[in-house]
Amino acid sequence: MADVRRGVLDEAARLVAGPRNETHGNYTHEARRIGRMWGAILNTEDIPPRTVAAMMVALKTARATAGMPHVDDWVDLCGYAALGAQIDADMAEVWK
């Protein structure tokens, strides 16, 4: 039996480092744009990129715990967590 854990992590890595990265570009920049839009919708300050990633993890967690089980929810959750870690790495120089 294949190790589901490894498969989920491998697929998340493949997606965030491959097709989705090529389609959407740098996620830190994308999360910054999303945060600006969400802030405008909520009539508040921009939402920081790392918070955008955390909110996407929360969204995927909500989806993973509702309805029928679907492995893609777990793959996406792992992918957004990895993107959050990349945002932290990208922002590390700014925080110094």
Side-chain angles (χ1 to χ4, degrees), residues 74-96:
W74 297 108
V75 170
D76 289 348
L77 194 154
C78 291
Y80 280 110
L83 291 169
Q86 183 64 57
I87 288 169
D88 282 355
D90 290 349
M91 300 300 291
E93 289 301 314
V94 174
W95 294 333
K96 286 184 179 179

Side-chain angles (χ1 to χ4, degrees), residues 47-89:
I47 296 169
R50 68 191 316 247
T51 303
V52 169
M55 290 171 70
M56 292 305 296
V57 167
L59 175 115
K60 293 300 180 173
T61 300
R63 284 190 179 167
T65 58
M68 295 295 295
H70 201 279
V71 71
D72 283 352
D73 294 329
W74 297 108
V75 170
D76 289 348
L77 194 154
C78 291
Y80 280 110
L83 291 169
Q86 183 64 57
I87 288 169
D88 282 355

Side-chain angles (χ1 to χ4, degrees), residues 14-85:
R14 185 187 74 76
L15 290 171
V16 298
R20 291 186 185 159
N21 187 56
E22 294 165 12
T23 302
H24 301 298
N26 181 294
Y27 186 72
T28 300
H29 297 297
E30 183 180 357
R32 189 172 287 117
R33 283 191 305 271
I34 292 167
R36 278 192 211 114
M37 293 176 77
W38 286 355
I41 290 166
L42 296 170
N43 197 29
T44 188
E45 295 181 14
D46 294 354
I47 296 169
R50 68 191 316 247
T51 303
V52 169
M55 290 171 70
M56 292 305 296
V57 167
L59 175 115
K60 293 300 180 173
T61 300
R63 284 190 179 167
T65 58
M68 295 295 295
H70 201 279
V71 71
D72 283 352
D73 294 329
W74 297 108
V75 170
D76 289 348
L77 194 154
C78 291
Y80 280 110
L83 291 169

